[in-house]
Amino acid sequence: MANNSRKADWNPRSEEALKDQISTYDTMRTQCPVAWSDYQHWTLFRHGDVMRVLEDHHSFSNAASSHLSVPNGMDPPEHALYRQVIEPYFSTQAMSEFEPTCRNIARQLVDTLPSGQPFDVVDLFSRAFALQIQCAFMGWPDSLRAPLREWVLKNHHATLSGDRQAMADVAHEFDGYIHDLLETRRQAGANAPKDVTTSLMKETVNGQTMTDEALTSLLRNWTVGELATISASVSILLNYLSEHPDLMHSLSIDTNALSDAIDEILRMDAPLMSNRRVTTRDVEMGGKSIPAGEKITILWASANRDEEVFGDPDAFSPQQNREQNLLYGAGIHVCPGAPLARMELRVLMEEFLAAVDTLKHAPNEQAERAVFPTGGFSYLPMIIEKN
């Protein structure tokens, strides 16, 4: 059990840390790479320590939550059974079939962006894209977009506050949406829509159809991960390209370089800040003794900027850094939806770059960074000029 009387090494929720999280993490990585706090418990800042956790399934468990989490919160061998079910939904063929829908959504959304006047990238572009693309991929009705948008905001506020009752209420609200989606398909029977959600309802694990509890957990994890990280990724990408117009110009000419460039930009500025693990035995890390049963925060936002692995963390080197980039994790728990996320971001940026000549921060407007546990921006005012 966590010892709440121990002295904190840092305060991840201090005003200074939240004002510039990247700089704070860079400093902690060199000064106290394994740090205790009441909020994050044991935080790992270095790439090597994170890789150790990802590879040592006997010492570090994914079952860090008291609630069912499919498949994120599962360990081998149970984890592998669910991954076998999930991975075909993100196959090369599945991505090729979904890409035209994705491109149509991206193109229409880019077309709606105002030219020559300020707009909030988060509200009009990144969050809108994440909501539309998630509903399209899952086969959910457009009418669910607005409730999901509000739900994402509630989920973020509840997580940020650490209010367990609020978090439970938000989870219950989402479960209600999923229950309705599943019930609608059951009542439709053979006339149920032929989509990802209907297909998942027919999947079996160890010869048994997935329970509604498992299905709801799986769909909740997919939705939280997709909506939060895709939205954060888009805001990060546009912010970076606005500050590097030469790169934006070169990528608009050579879109073959776009996929690696996206991964590299998101290495430097993480859309997904962290994940959790729990120790199953006493371990030594970074000169610290961590007892069994302690929660570990894997801080992707720091590990992916480790100077010992990447040199200058802000140097744009896509090919050089590709193999060590932990944007989608590593090992057996690498994000199963990575092919979908990569395709969605590539297609969106292809459509954006094809339509936009210039991208600049709106004058006299101040962007606002999102704060842990969310990456990216909460407000990003920009001006584009379309061609």
Side-chain angles (χ1 to χ4, degrees), residues 42-331:
W42 292 102
T43 303
L44 308 183
F45 293 88
R46 293 188 302 202
H47 192 281
D49 290 334
V50 167
M51 285 302 300
R52 175 183 167 187
V53 170
L54 298 181
E55 294 170 347
D56 184 355
H57 311 296
H58 298 291
S59 303
F60 304 95
S61 168
N62 270 56
S65 172
S66 57
H67 303 287
L68 178 66
S69 181
V70 181
N72 314 42
M74 293 177 165
D75 294 320
E78 186 180 30
H79 169 261
L81 298 175
Y82 282 90
R83 284 292 294 242
Q84 289 171 6
V85 170
I86 293 168
E87 287 178 353
Y89 290 90
F90 305 105
S91 67
T92 301
Q93 179 179 343
M95 295 303 92
S96 295
E97 292 173 354
F98 184 58
E99 182 169 332
T101 299
C102 179
R103 189 171 298 280
N104 187 49
I105 290 172
R107 185 172 295 163
Q108 289 184 11
L109 196 55
V110 171
D111 285 345
T112 67
L113 296 179
S115 182
Q117 62 186 48
F119 69 95
D120 177 17
V121 166
V122 176
D123 189 46
L124 289 187
F125 194 48
S126 64
R127 190 179 289 140
F129 178 69
L131 286 164
Q132 289 185 40
I133 210 72
Q134 173 69 359
C135 288
F137 181 70
M138 299 304 301
W140 295 348
D142 292 346
S143 59
L144 195 55
R145 290 181 199 165
L148 277 178
R149 181 185 183 280
E150 294 304 312
W151 179 83
V152 169
L153 296 174
K154 290 179 190 175
N155 185 60
H156 173 65
H157 291 317
T159 304
L160 185 62
S161 68
D163 186 334
R164 292 187 177 277
Q165 184 57 51
M167 292 167 70
D169 291 344
V170 169
H172 182 71
E173 180 181 340
F174 183 85
D175 292 355
Y177 296 143
I178 299 304
H179 176 269
D180 291 345
L181 290 166
L182 300 182
E183 190 60 29
T184 297
R185 284 160 172 74
R186 288 193 177 109
Q187 291 181 5
N191 295 319
K194 305 298 190 289
D195 56 31
V196 168
T197 302
T198 301
S199 182
L200 281 170
M201 294 173 67
K202 301 174 184 177
E203 296 286 1
T204 60
V205 178
N206 257 356
Q208 299 292 320
T209 303
M210 274 195 282
T211 64
D212 276 9
E213 183 186 16
L215 270 171
T216 301
S217 174
L218 172 61
L219 294 174
R220 188 193 305 122
N221 284 331
W222 275 13
T223 303
V224 173
E226 178 79 359
L227 295 183
T229 56
I230 290 296
S231 179
S233 295
V234 175
S235 66
I236 291 167
L237 291 169
L238 264 61
N239 179 67
Y240 190 89
L241 292 179
S242 72
E243 296 173 348
H244 300 81
D246 289 346
L247 176 62
M248 178 173 163
H249 178 68
S250 68
L251 291 175
S252 67
I253 296 172
D254 180 16
T255 55
N256 290 329
L258 196 51
S259 293
D260 280 345
I262 289 171
D263 279 9
E264 175 69 348
I265 293 168
L266 300 179
R267 174 194 65 77
M268 294 184 278
D269 193 348
L272 176 64
M273 304 297 280
S274 69
N275 280 127
R276 293 192 301 168
R277 299 291 191 273
V278 62
T279 53
T280 59
R281 61 179 77 174
D282 296 353
V283 296
E284 295 282 334
M285 301 193 78
K288 304 289 181 68
S289 297
I290 304 178
E294 296 272 61
K295 290 181 179 177
I296 301 283
T297 296
I298 295 174
L299 200 57
W300 308 112
S302 173
N304 248 353
R305 293 176 54 83
D306 193 334
E307 295 83 356
E308 293 189 9
V309 175
F310 303 105
D312 178 357
D314 291 308
F316 180 80
S317 304
Q319 286 73 36
Q320 177 181 322
N321 295 329
R322 182 193 297 139
E323 297 304 316
Q324 301 299 323
N325 191 341
L326 297 176
L327 174 60
Y328 294 102

